Amino acid sequence: MKTFTLPDLGEGLPDAVVREWHVSEGDTIAAHESLVTVETAKALVEVPAPWGGRVEKLFAAQDQTVNVGEPLVGFTAEDANHEIPATEHSTTTISPGDSVSAEDPSVKETAPPQTRSDSGTVVGKLEQGEAVLGAEQRVAPSRRRPATPKVRALARRLGVDLEKLSTDGSLVTAAQVHAAVGSTPVTEKSAEEKKSPLPVQGAEKTAGVEAVMSPARRAMGLSMSRARDQVAQITLCDDADISSWWGSTPALLRLIRAVQLACTAEPTLNALYENDQLKIQETVNIGLAVDSPRGLYVPVLRDVAGHTDEALLAQVADYKHQARETGIAQSDLQGATILLSNFGAIAGRYATPVVLPPTVAIVGAGRVCQGVVVIDRWPAMRPLLPLSISADHRAVTGGELARFLRAMLHALST
């Protein structure tokens, strides 16, 4: 049996949670066909098959946590119709990145006649020859999945049968799943999932209290530890008089545009600090902190200057929906050049937002409140928006941070 282990998915986490198997034991699968959807670092990721063959064993159940490098799927080592002599190496554990040289003496000793070893592939050692290649070519055609991982997760929670919505093989959208809820029977299991919290993975019980340690929370813990160890943080606070537009424009949209303008005025804060080098970015990609039952998500609004107000608001609404219902795709959580936390939508006026490397700045917006300001030497009541901006003092000077804050105050007050 050839064993495929869980690869490092590039999230910096040591494990992942199995959310949905796309194969069963005994199935025949083609190379690169989707094996399983896992959740890691707040993202749903499809793991493809490294090679084609028959699935002999699934080493993890749905909702089980698997460590990187642990067995995930076992494949039948050789086609049963081919007589290949067994050796002490007939059971092989293979992980992505393994390779074998054609000069490896063990390959020469164990390889059958007229068979040569692969010089190195992304999935490890593959014995190549006419017989084995012929077996690979007989793998059944790839089965098209009826929806993306996010939509499948949504359908599973709402009890919708995707196969009934995709009779022609086309991809099902989230809107179609929501539309089908009213007419699709909900199973007992899915009804329970609706009433109960999301599954808790890696939870530990201490003194009768269950501590939630989901992949999202573990990712947050690792990010905060990295920020604690790497960042020399500095925070400045002030209030913006927003009386010129308050009540007529969405506050979050004004904040996004104010961050964009401030990055133009002081581009040092729209940057990445890596390997002791400050790399100022040309486009403004805002990582927006989104609270959800799973934990904290930070999806990215890319190139905000190149999008209309309507497009930005639609993207924000979509991210919030995904955070509540399905989780956000891995690609949408990468590429931020500056961060924004609108914590005041819940509570609080001022904060010390934590800078997450390699970004060098994060803007925090507090709860709008009425305050007294001086207008033409007379006191007046005005709606005030508290701002708390943190920066990495290794890369940003106090003057640069103050100028960035001044630019945001100006953009929000006009």
Side-chain angles (χ1 to χ4, degrees):
M1 181 172 66
K2 294 192 298 185
T3 303
F4 175 56
T5 63
L6 179 67
D8 182 355
L9 299 174
E11 296 292 339
L13 287 177
D15 53 36
V17 180
V18 174
R19 288 303 185 202
E20 182 181 5
W21 282 107
H22 306 317
V23 296
S24 301
E25 293 181 357
D27 286 354
T28 300
I29 188 171
H32 310 303
E33 185 179 350
S34 179
L35 274 175
V36 62
T37 295
V38 299
E39 182 178 7
T40 177
K42 303 169 286 187
L44 292 173
V45 182
E46 282 200 2
V47 178
W51 50 72
R54 188 173 69 85
V55 176
E56 183 172 333
K57 182 176 179 62
L58 303 180
F59 287 93
Q62 184 172 313
D63 296 331
Q64 180 178 336
T65 299
V66 181
N67 294 321
V68 170
E70 287 185 346
L72 191 62
V73 182
F75 291 85
T76 300
E78 305 290 351
D79 192 294
N81 295 327
H82 296 86
E83 297 181 0
I84 299 180
T87 70
E88 60 180 353
H89 303 291
S90 59
T91 299
T92 310
T93 298
I94 305 177
S95 300
D98 290 350
S99 62
V100 60
S101 169
E103 301 301 321
D104 189 337
S106 64
V107 175
K108 292 181 179 179
E109 294 172 2
T110 60
Q114 298 180 351
T115 301
R116 58 187 177 87
S117 65
D118 186 7
S119 60
T121 71
V122 294
V123 297
K125 183 173 68 174
L126 294 178
E127 298 297 327
Q128 290 189 347
E130 293 181 0
V132 177
L133 289 176
E136 290 289 340
Q137 293 170 354
R138 288 196 297 271
V139 174
S142 177
R143 295 163 293 181
R144 181 181 177 87
R145 305 303 301 175
T148 64
K150 291 184 290 186
V151 174
R152 290 202 301 272
L154 173 63
R156 186 169 63 251
R157 293 191 181 94
L158 297 181
V160 176
D161 186 352
L162 287 175
E163 299 296 337
K164 294 181 179 179
L165 298 182
S166 181
T167 56
D168 59 354
S170 60
L171 286 178
V172 178
T173 66
Q176 290 175 296
V177 173
H178 283 290
V181 172
S183 58
T184 302
V186 179
T187 64
E188 181 178 352
K189 179 180 179 181
S190 60
E192 292 174 355
E193 290 174 350
K194 280 184 168 183
K195 297 177 183 178
S196 62
L198 293 170
V200 174
Q201 298 302 321
E204 299 178 357
K205 291 186 178 181
T206 305
V209 178
E210 190 174 77
V212 178
M213 289 302 293
S214 65
R217 293 183 181 275
R218 290 199 298 274
M220 180 177 64
L222 290 174
S223 296
M224 293 301 105
S225 296
R226 188 165 63 250
R228 176 202 62 202
D229 296 338
Q230 297 180 12
V231 175
Q233 183 158 305
I234 181 175
T235 304
L236 287 183
C237 304
D238 210 331
D239 296 317
D241 181 348
I242 59 174
S243 56
S244 63
W245 57 268
W246 179 242
S248 62
T249 307
L252 180 57
L253 178 61
R254 290 299 298 251
L255 280 166
I256 292 171
R257 292 304 186 195
V259 170
Q260 172 196 332
L261 293 172
C263 287
T264 301
E266 188 54 69
T268 308
L269 276 74
N270 185 53
L272 304 178
Y273 187 71
E274 299 176 295
N275 301 321
D276 296 328
Q277 291 186 339
L278 181 65
K279 302 175 183 178
I280 298 176
Q281 304 299 298
E282 294 183 0
T283 59
V284 179
N285 301 331
I286 299 178
L288 183 64
V290 176
D291 184 57
S292 81
R294 292 168 175 256
L296 179 67
Y297 288 80
V298 188
V300 180
L301 300 172
R302 303 183 188 281
D303 189 18
V304 295
H307 291 79
T308 64
D309 293 349
E310 293 75 14
L312 288 175
L313 291 175
Q315 183 67 80
V316 170
D318 188 38
Y319 280 150
K320 289 182 177 179
H321 172 77
Q322 292 179 33
R324 290 192 306 267
E325 300 292 341
T326 64
I328 299 177
Q330 181 183 25
S331 58
D332 290 331
L333 299 172
Q334 300 172 339
T337 59
I338 190 169
L339 307 180
L340 171 61
S341 174
N342 186 24
F343 63 84
I346 302 175
R349 295 185 62 188
Y350 303 102
T352 54
V354 178
V355 179
L356 299 180
T359 60
V360 300
I362 177 171
V363 176
R367 175 176 54 86
V368 174
C369 59
Q370 294 292 323
V372 178
V373 298
V374 177
I375 306 295
D376 296 331
R377 300 176 61 185
W378 292 94
M381 296 293 292
R382 293 285 190 272
L384 301 179
L385 174 58
L387 295 176
S388 303
I389 305 179
S390 297
D392 188 344
H393 215 343
R394 299 176 304 165
V396 177
T397 69
E400 290 165 341
L401 177 57
R403 284 190 290 272
F404 185 93
L405 176 56
R406 181 179 62 188
M408 279 208 66
L409 293 172
H410 177 74
L412 288 169
S413 300
T414 56

